[in-house]
Amino acid sequence: MRNLVVLILTMVVMASCAGPEKPDNPFFSSYDTPFGVPPFELIEVGHFMPAFEEGIKEQEAEIEAIINNSEVPDFDNTIAALDYSGGLLNRVSSVFYNYNSSNISDTIQSIAKEVAPKMSAHSDNISLNAELFERIQAVYNQRESLDLTEEQAMLLKETYEGFVRNGAALSAEKQERYREINQELSVLTLQFGQNVLADVNDFKLIVDNEADLAGLPASVVATAAEAAANDGAEGKWLFTLQNPSVMPFLTYADNRALREVMGRAYILRGNNDNENNNEDIINKLVELRLERSQLLGHENFAQFALQNRMAGNVETVESFLQQIWNAALPIAREEAVDLQKMIDSEGHDFDLAFWDWRYYAEKVRKEKYNIDESEIRQYFEINNVRDGIFMVANKLFGLQFKQREDVPVYHTEATAWEVQEADGTHVGILYMDMHPRASKRGGAWMSSYRKQQVDASGEFVPPVITIVCNFTAPSENQPALLSFDEMTTFFHEFGHALHGLLSDTQYHGLSGTSVPRDFVELPSQVMENWAKHPEVLKQFAKHYETGEVIPDELIDRIKESSNFNQGFATVEFLASALLDMDYHTMNAYEPFDVNAFEKQVQERYNMMDEIYFRHGSPHFQHIFSGGYSAGYYSYIWAGVLDADAFEAFVETGDLFDQTTATKFRKEILEKGGTRDAMEMYKAFRGSEPGIEPLLKQRGLVR
């Protein structure tokens, strides 16, 4: 039967490639590039829409072939055939949506707005196809009698439940409304992210008085001077809302008035009195998500979203967050007292505000631990950090990384790396794109240009993975020196990349990071433990000028200060996680003022005025334009898993213990979504994790 599916797909592809205009579009033929990566140098913006339209037509024909198959529905001719469908659409989508995050232009944004409702409609046409669902249901109903592998059983379960979750069991009338909601949501989430990026790119703080730069490290000043010169303001200094600019400013700038300007601009992204204001979009997103969830029989969106996550239900998440909140809030209050004492000791007559916290925390940290972020940066030149990450991956999994100049890249700032097993076997391609630019959204993330799978003909398809960051850029006189947080973020995103690269699944739908949202952060966050460990630091942290290995004495100071300010960091994060849950546990919608809503959340949880949300509503892209709606808690949930998982290595006395590393690779990284997440974890660790290692790791146990 698989041969029949392959024949049908081949005929469809051949038919779709006919016509004189199509050979000029690189998406319409196999990529003639090293390792089959996208031929970026050939791709033009005008290729996207025709490829989307043809990809939709092609998958529609593939779906029709499944429906019209005269044979009794079975796993191969229905479930597997559906997973194999959409090859062209996957090719163009993977490139386009990565461009829409890291290679943005006005034209790309315009195409995104045009294609969003088309893709939403296409997705609904599949998930709401009654004949297709009838075949899927027929296979699902006989699942107990089928001789399926564990992975096949999971794909069947995920396919059936996915259709139900996407409205397949609704009445025709409700399905029509469901389609309308999805169309509107697709456009709104896109516009939300575009508004945030526009506000980031519009803001410029130009300093023309050198005295106003007091306190800022020389490297930050040099970068700001370069930015100003590039912006036509030679002899001045330009600061932006990109993290490598705004965070050092809030941490080091002595000028409190300018810190306030930067701090307020940072939290007001998407919340200014301009065309980029996201308040109406937030209202509409919350309203539509609630309506859609209730159409599907749920009280609220969170109840719907948590069905297929490890946490399982709202009560578990809220209890979990409250437990950590209760531990962190008193510590954050103690930290605020220390910062206020520092303010008072300097003879100032003002109360600590959110734009002061990072500045005075850095002062207190320096006083308590004699530690300075600018000193630490000297040992984290970005290429040394990268080589350290490669070293850890090699020691754990035997992986090798070779830069390939012959592999096309999507931007001149991106680099391409071939990943190999210890014996030289090809694993996949990894792109890395490290520094901010106007054509890139903020933050750091991992994505793919091609997911690992075994195709319909039985050929193993290796992955093409990308990690994109916004780290401190090099200046004219200095290489890129990362902060400690940037260094650990690099390790974090590389952990996601390993999850995609080492995937070893049969089916596209279960590959790599296709796991529950509150499990996906485990492979990334566990890597941070190696990043911070003294034994590992000694192997890659070298002074960028002298080559001196980071001194034990500095490592000791870093370790001693590791739990400093953790009350702030945890409360800041949890506040956003609680905000997320409050938006998505509404059982009835009433129009709301976003600022007032945030204030209510702050009051409900007795939050401190001195700490603002890590992500305030108007720029909270994780939940309003990303995939973390009712799921931002996932980072700290996975923190429980990663603290316990790293303990498995510590217990052996060898951070690179091969037995443990092999087990982590086999039971977690290679499995993708082929097994229940907790079962995967227990197969690795032997039991479910407890919360104590996380509280201990963050210094929240007194």
Side-chain angles (χ1 to χ4, degrees):
M1 184 50 58
R2 180 170 293 175
N3 289 337
L4 175 60
V5 173
V6 174
L7 177 60
I8 292 169
L9 300 189
T10 302
M11 292 172 63
V12 171
V13 172
M14 289 175 64
S16 71
C17 289
E21 77 288 342
K22 291 176 183 174
D24 294 331
N25 190 320
F27 293 116
F28 288 118
S29 56
S30 298
Y31 297 154
D32 184 20
T33 56
F35 309 105
V37 304
F40 297 112
E41 74 282 5
L42 301 179
I43 295 172
E44 301 172 2
V45 290
H47 292 142
F48 285 117
M49 190 53 71
F52 269 114
E53 291 172 346
E54 190 65 27
I56 288 171
K57 289 179 185 177
E58 184 176 296
Q59 191 169 29
E60 287 173 344
E62 292 165 351
I63 299 300
E64 282 300 308
I66 295 171
I67 292 170
N68 295 328
N69 190 325
S70 59
E71 297 187 12
V72 174
D74 61 23
F75 180 86
D76 282 335
N77 68 25
T78 302
I79 308 302
L82 179 60
D83 186 73
Y84 292 136
S85 72
L88 171 57
L89 198 54
N90 285 336
R91 284 203 302 278
V92 63
S93 295
S94 66
V95 175
F96 180 77
Y97 290 117
N98 275 299
Y99 272 35
N100 199 40
S101 295
S102 56
N103 208 9
I104 305 168
S105 67
D106 290 343
T107 307
I108 290 291
Q109 290 188 326
S110 177
I111 295 171
K113 289 179 180 178
E114 183 180 355
V115 82
K118 292 178 184 289
M119 288 293 285
S120 175
H122 176 61
S123 177
D124 286 343
N125 287 341
I126 294 174
S127 62
L128 301 178
N129 187 309
E131 293 175 290
L132 179 59
F133 181 58
E134 185 178 348
R135 289 185 68 93
I136 292 168
Q137 193 168 34
V139 181
Y140 184 76
N141 288 341
Q142 57 177 319
R143 62 192 181 280
E144 299 299 336
S145 62
L146 300 176
D147 185 22
L148 300 179
T149 66
E150 180 181 48
E151 183 171 350
Q152 289 172 331
M154 180 60 83
L155 183 64
L156 173 57
K157 174 181 179 292
E158 290 294 308
T159 302
Y160 173 76
E161 292 181 357
F163 268 70
V164 172
R165 284 171 59 80
N166 284 289
L170 294 176
S171 67
E173 181 182 351
K174 287 185 176 180
Q175 283 189 358
E176 187 58 36
R177 177 57 187 151
Y178 185 87
R179 287 175 181 271
E180 293 170 356
I181 291 171
N182 283 346
Q183 291 263 323
E184 197 166 353
L185 285 172
S186 69
V187 175
L188 288 170
T189 54
L190 183 69
Q191 187 62 55
F192 184 95
Q194 291 185 356
N195 287 348
V196 175
L197 180 64
D199 265 3
V200 169
N201 287 339
D202 286 348
F203 176 85
K204 297 176 183 178
L205 175 65
I206 296 180
V207 174
D208 55 13
N209 183 351
E210 192 169 1
D212 290 332
L213 303 172
L216 291 168
S219 60
V220 175
V221 173
T223 300
E226 224 173 277
N230 292 336
D231 198 55
E234 187 79 41
K236 299 179 182 180
W237 297 268
L238 170 62
F239 297 91
T240 72
L241 296 181
Q242 296 280 6
N243 263 17
S245 182
V246 65
M247 287 304 158
F249 198 94
L250 292 175
T251 303
Y252 298 110
D254 292 339
N255 188 315
R256 186 172 190 251
L258 290 183
R259 286 204 313 272
E260 180 177 358
V261 170
M262 286 291 280
R264 290 193 181 280
Y266 189 68
I267 71 169
L268 287 174
R269 290 167 293 157
N271 194 22
N272 294 293
D273 187 19
N274 60 22
E275 61 184 3
N276 304 323
N277 190 290
N278 274 329
E279 180 164 13
D280 290 343
I281 292 178
I282 292 171
N283 266 266
K284 200 63 182 173
L285 286 171
V286 170
E287 180 185 16
L288 291 173
R289 286 173 178 173
L290 174 60
E291 183 184 355
R292 186 177 64 177
S293 301
Q294 291 180 339
L295 274 177
L296 294 168
H298 302 279
E299 290 183 5
N300 53 55
F301 177 82
Q303 187 185 79
F304 161 75
L306 290 165
Q307 265 191 327
N308 63 350
R309 294 182 186 160
M310 290 183 75
N313 57 66
V314 172
E315 294 73 25
T316 298
V317 173
E318 290 183 335
S319 173
F320 170 73
L321 292 176
Q322 191 69 57
Q323 185 178 355
I324 303 175
W325 180 263
N326 291 341
L329 188 60
I331 295 173
R333 292 192 184 282
E334 292 175 11
E335 292 169 354
V337 170
D338 286 344
L339 302 191
Q340 187 64 53
K341 286 179 180 177
M342 172 67 78
I343 293 170
D344 296 342
S345 72
E346 293 182 345
H348 298 301
D349 185 23
F350 61 80
D351 293 330
L352 176 71
F354 72 85
W355 58 85
D356 297 315
W357 192 295
R358 286 177 172 82
Y359 177 77
Y360 281 100
E362 183 65 17
K363 282 196 165 192
V364 172
R365 184 170 75 144
K366 192 170 184 180
E367 183 181 82
K368 278 190 173 184
Y369 304 102
N370 188 28
I371 199 163
D372 185 343
E373 185 67 63
S374 60
E375 176 189 7
I376 296 172
R377 281 180 184 267
Q378 314 302 308
Y379 294 92
F380 294 134
E381 191 273 325
I382 192 167
N383 294 318
N384 288 341
V385 175
R386 180 200 66 212
D387 292 345
I389 291 172
F390 289 169
M391 176 270 294
V392 170
N394 178 263
K395 287 193 170 187
L396 286 171
F397 310 117
L399 300 177
Q400 304 179 76
F401 300 85
K402 299 184 177 180
Q403 187 166 4
R404 298 293 300 248
E405 302 289 349
D406 59 332
V407 172
V409 293
Y410 62 90
H411 193 279
T412 55
E413 294 179 5
T415 57
W417 300 79
E418 182 188 0
V419 185
Q420 298 177 342
E421 299 282 11
D423 64 2
T425 303
H426 178 74
V427 172
I429 293 295
L430 173 65
Y431 288 105
M432 292 194 287
D433 182 359
M434 297 287 98
H435 305 297
R437 55 178 177 268
S439 63
K440 183 195 289 188
R441 69 174 174 85
W445 64 93
M446 165 268 187
S447 184
S448 64
Y449 284 98
R450 184 177 68 217
K451 294 177 70 174
Q452 176 274 325
Q453 69 175 113
V454 177
D455 67 19
S457 64
E459 291 293 318
F460 185 90
V461 179
V464 178
I465 303 298
T466 182
I467 54 176
V468 186
C469 305
N470 281 273
F471 295 151
T472 301
S475 65
E476 186 177 343
N477 301 314
Q478 188 171 271
L481 302 178
L482 305 187
S483 69
F484 195 80
D485 283 346
E486 288 176 325
M487 182 273 291
T488 54
T489 297
F490 199 166
F491 271 80
H492 177 106
E493 296 306 332
F494 191 82
H496 281 310
L498 287 176
H499 202 182
L501 286 163
L502 297 180
S503 174
D504 188 12
T505 68
Q506 177 82 23
Y507 301 105
H508 181 273
L510 300 177
S511 176
T513 55
S514 300
V515 298
R517 182 63 66 183
D518 46 10
F519 187 72
V520 76
E521 296 299 332
L522 166 61
S524 56
Q525 290 183 192
V526 76
M527 286 293 290
E528 296 182 33
N529 292 277
W530 278 278
K532 300 172 184 177
H533 199 281
E535 179 184 329
V536 179
L537 285 169
K538 295 281 287 183
Q539 296 181 61
F540 76 87
K542 301 174 182 177
H543 196 281
Y544 80 101
E545 288 181 318
T546 67
E548 174 198 10
V549 174
I550 189 169
D552 290 333
E553 181 266 339
L554 179 55
I555 292 177
D556 290 342
R557 282 188 280 142
I558 292 172
K559 189 174 181 180
E560 287 171 6
S561 69
S562 61
N563 289 330
F564 175 74
N565 211 36
Q566 275 300 308
F568 165 82
T570 306
V571 165
E572 183 193 45
F573 170 84
L574 287 173
S576 289
L578 292 166
L579 180 66
D580 171 29
M581 293 302 293
D582 272 33
Y583 275 125
H584 293 116
T585 50
M586 287 186 191
N587 293 336
Y589 170 77
E590 292 286 344
F592 54 85
D593 175 270
V594 167
N595 295 323
F597 189 92
E598 289 188 347
K599 191 66 178 174
Q600 289 171 3
V601 173
Q602 290 171 315
E603 291 172 352
R604 182 177 302 114
Y605 296 103
N606 199 24
M607 188 176 163
M608 310 158 59
D609 290 337
E610 300 93 334
I611 301 178
Y612 184 65
F613 303 92
R614 177 170 296 180
H615 301 287
S617 308
H619 52 265
F620 203 167
Q621 296 189 78
H622 287 81
I623 70 169
F624 290 126
S625 62
Y628 283 83
S629 313
Y632 191 63
Y633 75 91
S634 300
Y635 288 95
I636 205 158
W637 179 278
V640 173
L641 299 176
D642 89 67
D644 185 68
F646 188 67
E647 197 65 26
F649 288 88
V650 174
E651 289 167 1
T652 69
D654 180 3
L655 296 182
F656 302 103
D657 178 68
Q658 288 303 287
T659 300
T660 309
T662 299
K663 199 171 186 182
F664 188 78
R665 175 173 178 168
K666 294 295 182 185
E667 301 297 346
I668 305 291
L669 298 178
E670 291 184 359
K671 289 291 185 184
T674 61
R675 184 185 292 175
D676 174 79
M678 187 57 79
E679 292 306 311
M680 281 193 283
Y681 189 80
K682 288 192 294 186
F684 163 66
R685 193 67 169 106
S687 61
E688 294 187 11
I691 198 173
E692 292 76 19
L694 174 71
L695 296 177
K696 180 181 176 183
Q697 186 185 73
R698 289 177 172 244
L700 300 179
V701 179
R702 292 288 174 93

